[in-house]
Amino acid sequence: MMVFTGFPGFIATRLMEACAQKGWGLAAIVLPSEMEKAQKQAISIEGKTGCGPIRLLPGDITVEGLALSREDRSWLGKQQLVFWHLAAIYDLAVPEDIAKKVNILGTQNVYMYFSTAYIAGKREGLLLESELIRPESFKNHYEETKFEAELLVEQLKKEVPTTIIRPGIVRGHSASGETSKFDGPYFFLNMIDRMRHLPAIPYIGHSNTVINVVPVDYILDATVYLSELKKAESATVHLTDPNPHPVEEVYRAMVHEMTGRYPKGRIPKKLAAISMKAPAIRKYLGVEAETLDYMDWQAQFDTRNAQSLLEGSGIRPADFLETIPAMVEFYNEHKEDRKYHVTIA
């Protein structure tokens, strides 16, 4: 029985659908406030895949015992379980107290564990999959609390076969462009869309670094494959792009796809950072201020472990630049729908 946290979130929903297609039994621990949405998503998965009923268990990963009913805890105790722990708050501007409650306490209570490649904080250079080194500082509370959570999961490896997945920045499907919300690299699209009527759209700062963005279909395919691979037990893998593109090259491609023009001129990053301190500007542009921290971060993710485990599977991330047209098409079709936009702090 596959038991998920993080449902009905974007990645958890699609992972459950992929597992359902394999005929695996499914259950999910769902916050009561998310239950109505979860029920709709579960019915959709059952209809698409023909799988058996998905059992939804009202609960809360931040509460001891997961806030499960006695009946549900008894039922879980009789199952042979594989936990897929995806529940977390992914928001670069998340307050520290909320981040700790969900990202750390939730991990103590609950193994395919979803961490993030960005637990490295402000460390730079080549970042290895085998490393779990506390950096001198983090760029935000999201990174810090995910690091603390991975420390707990690393201890669990001694008792339970556990695979730690460290994704890069996840975007929508490489072919369809489908996503559930416009965050991460979509902040660039928000900003470009707001500035498209200017005589010229400038670069922000001057960057010679790369940005590591992977499509959700790569995360799904690789994770399901690794969940069945004996060699992946107790492994930590970077599901990042082994051939990432420079930030400015990605930005240039996005501007051209959105407007038919190329960027011209530059706004100094310091000036942009000062401007982004104003809530009105952040909300108008549709960009979190923390996004700027990733535009000149000098780090690369080692993927030798992931590539070795995935060898022969044919699973690899689609090229980001080649799939920007699908990403932009989906964005343009849904940019007026507020359900896709995250609340800018």
Side-chain angles (χ1 to χ4, degrees):
M1 176 63 64
M2 304 287 167
V3 180
F4 284 77
T5 67
F7 183 70
F10 180 54
I11 297 179
T13 297
R14 280 144 188 83
L15 269 174
M16 285 179 67
E17 185 174 325
C19 290
Q21 289 171 343
K22 288 183 169 287
W24 298 344
L26 298 175
I29 298 170
V30 181
L31 279 171
S33 61
E34 292 288 298
M35 186 58 73
E36 184 178 350
K37 181 180 178 182
Q39 289 169 340
K40 292 178 180 178
Q41 293 283 26
I43 291 171
S44 175
I45 292 172
E46 291 164 4
K48 287 179 182 178
T49 65
C51 71
I54 297 171
R55 182 155 180 160
L56 302 180
L57 315 174
D60 184 342
I61 66 165
T62 69
V63 175
E64 187 175 355
L66 306 179
L68 294 169
S69 69
R70 183 177 300 177
E71 178 186 354
D72 287 339
R73 291 177 69 178
S74 175
W75 179 81
L76 283 172
K78 298 173 184 176
Q79 310 300 316
Q80 184 174 353
L81 303 177
V82 177
F83 261 99
W84 295 68
H85 183 30
L86 290 89
I89 287 185
Y90 171 59
D91 180 349
L92 302 184
V94 64
E96 183 179 13
D97 58 337
I98 298 176
K100 282 184 176 179
K101 182 175 182 182
V102 176
N103 292 345
I104 301 177
L105 298 183
T107 300
Q108 287 178 319
N109 290 314
V110 219
Y111 206 111
M112 296 292 292
Y113 173 67
F114 269 66
S115 182
T116 174
Y118 294 89
I119 59 164
K122 292 186 178 180
R123 289 177 57 220
E124 296 190 338
L126 184 63
L127 306 173
L128 304 182
E129 292 156 300
S130 58
E131 295 175 329
L132 186 54
I133 301 172
R134 184 181 296 276
E136 291 186 5
S137 61
F138 295 90
K139 295 185 283 296
N140 48 65
H141 297 310
Y142 169 75
E143 292 184 346
E144 183 174 11
T145 54
K146 291 296 285 186
F147 174 85
E148 297 289 351
E150 191 171 315
L151 286 178
L152 296 174
V153 176
E154 191 65 33
Q155 296 173 18
L156 186 67
K157 281 184 176 181
K158 302 171 185 176
E159 304 173 17
V160 181
T162 302
T163 303
I164 297 176
I165 305 296
R166 292 180 184 165
I169 301 170
V170 182
R171 61 186 172 94
H173 195 283
S174 61
S176 69
E178 181 188 3
T179 188
S180 66
K181 60 181 178 178
F182 296 144
D183 59 1
Y186 296 88
F187 288 149
F188 285 167
L189 298 186
N190 284 344
M191 183 174 65
I192 294 165
D193 190 53
R194 306 301 196 278
M195 297 194 300
R196 66 188 310 152
H197 299 300
L198 295 177
I201 297 177
Y203 289 99
I204 308 299
H206 192 289
S207 173
N208 60 359
T209 63
V210 297
I211 184 169
N212 206 294
V213 181
V214 286
V216 68
D217 42 301
Y218 170 63
I219 300 298
L220 301 181
D221 293 345
T223 304
V224 172
Y225 179 83
L226 293 173
S227 73
E228 298 183 279
L229 191 68
K230 187 70 176 175
K231 289 193 300 182
E233 290 184 2
S234 297
T236 297
V237 295
H238 278 155
L239 291 187
T240 53
D241 191 341
N243 300 297
H245 293 284
V247 173
E248 290 198 356
E249 192 175 344
V250 169
Y251 181 75
R252 174 182 168 87
M254 286 180 167
V255 171
H256 187 261
E257 189 65 31
M258 288 282 286
T259 69
R261 298 176 288 157
Y262 289 108
K264 186 177 181 181
R266 293 183 186 275
I267 295 177
K269 183 187 173 185
K270 286 186 177 180
L271 177 59
I274 292 171
S275 300
M276 295 286 278
K277 289 181 179 179
I281 292 179
R282 293 199 301 273
K283 290 180 180 179
Y284 174 73
L285 294 176
V287 179
E288 291 284 14
E290 288 78 6
T291 305
L292 295 175
D293 294 332
Y294 295 87
M295 294 186 68
D296 55 5
W297 183 45
Q298 298 281 352
Q300 303 82 42
F301 298 110
D302 175 54
T303 60
R304 284 174 291 184
N305 200 18
Q307 289 182 300
S308 173
L309 291 171
L310 293 172
E311 187 175 4
S313 69
I315 298 171
R316 61 182 182 83
D319 183 85
F320 191 11
L321 293 183
E322 291 177 3
T323 55
I324 281 178
M327 180 182 181
V328 169
E329 182 178 3
F330 185 88
Y331 175 85
N332 283 331
E333 287 177 0
H334 300 279
K335 66 183 180 182
E336 303 300 331
D337 190 338
R338 297 311 305 172
K339 76 177 183 182
Y340 286 97
H341 291 273
V342 301
T343 301
I344 302 299

